Amino acid sequence: SRNSDSDVFVYAIPKQVKVGDTYQMRGVNFRVDRFPEFQGFSPSVVIFAEGGNQDRRIHYKMHVERRKGITQLHFESLRASPPGSADLSREYTGVSCMLVSQRGLLAGARLEVPPPKGVID
């Protein structure tokens, strides 16, 4: 059973992701945006997620790289309970996590990242 006060983070990516897309999964709204491109690195996107109820909105970001999947997560805040307790008593803000592996989470998604406007190759 899930405590009604607990935060719910959903990591969901469609099979094909395009900059500008929006989608919803299990009450969480997702928006796909461009991530700055750097020479020598695979194209990537950042997916902004927002969920939770009116009283407690949850915001987090997923950095998704082509052929790797989710490689970084950034949480606006994380709430935690001490070991052995069901009470949420701590809140951590601005938490970033980096996945150190050859493949990230949900690596099967294909990214469609059009060139930025105003950029000349």
Side-chain angles (χ1 to χ4, degrees):
S1 67
R2 191 169 72 204
N3 182 341
S4 62
D5 289 336
S6 66
D7 294 336
V8 176
F9 299 100
V10 176
Y11 311 115
I13 303 176
K15 292 276 185 191
Q16 174 126 3
V17 177
K18 182 179 177 185
V19 170
D21 283 352
T22 59
Y23 57 97
Q24 187 178 56
M25 174 68 79
R26 294 192 177 192
V28 177
N29 296 309
F30 297 92
R31 178 176 49 89
V32 182
D33 206 345
R34 172 178 307 284
F35 190 80
E37 294 180 26
F38 299 98
Q39 192 170 6
F41 289 90
S42 295
S44 61
V45 298
V46 63
I47 300 177
F48 297 92
E50 181 180 54
N53 60 32
Q54 297 275 346
D55 300 331
R56 174 92 178 133
R57 296 307 287 168
I58 300 169
H59 301 272
Y60 54 102
K61 298 175 204 163
M62 304 182 294
H63 178 235
V64 183
E65 293 182 43
R66 185 175 284 165
R67 291 187 288 280
K68 284 190 176 181
I70 301 171
T71 57
Q72 297 174 46
L73 299 165
H74 179 78
F75 303 93
E76 189 175 88
S77 68
L78 290 175
R79 295 188 298 164
S81 55
S85 172
D87 297 331
L88 296 170
S89 63
R90 268 190 197 155
E91 185 166 3
Y92 301 93
T93 58
V95 178
S96 292
C97 303
M98 180 175 265
L99 284 69
V100 181
S101 69
Q102 292 293 327
R103 291 180 65 154
L105 300 173
L106 307 174
R110 292 189 335 219
L111 303 184
E112 186 176 326
V113 184
K117 292 179 177 147
V119 173
I120 301 171
D121 283 333

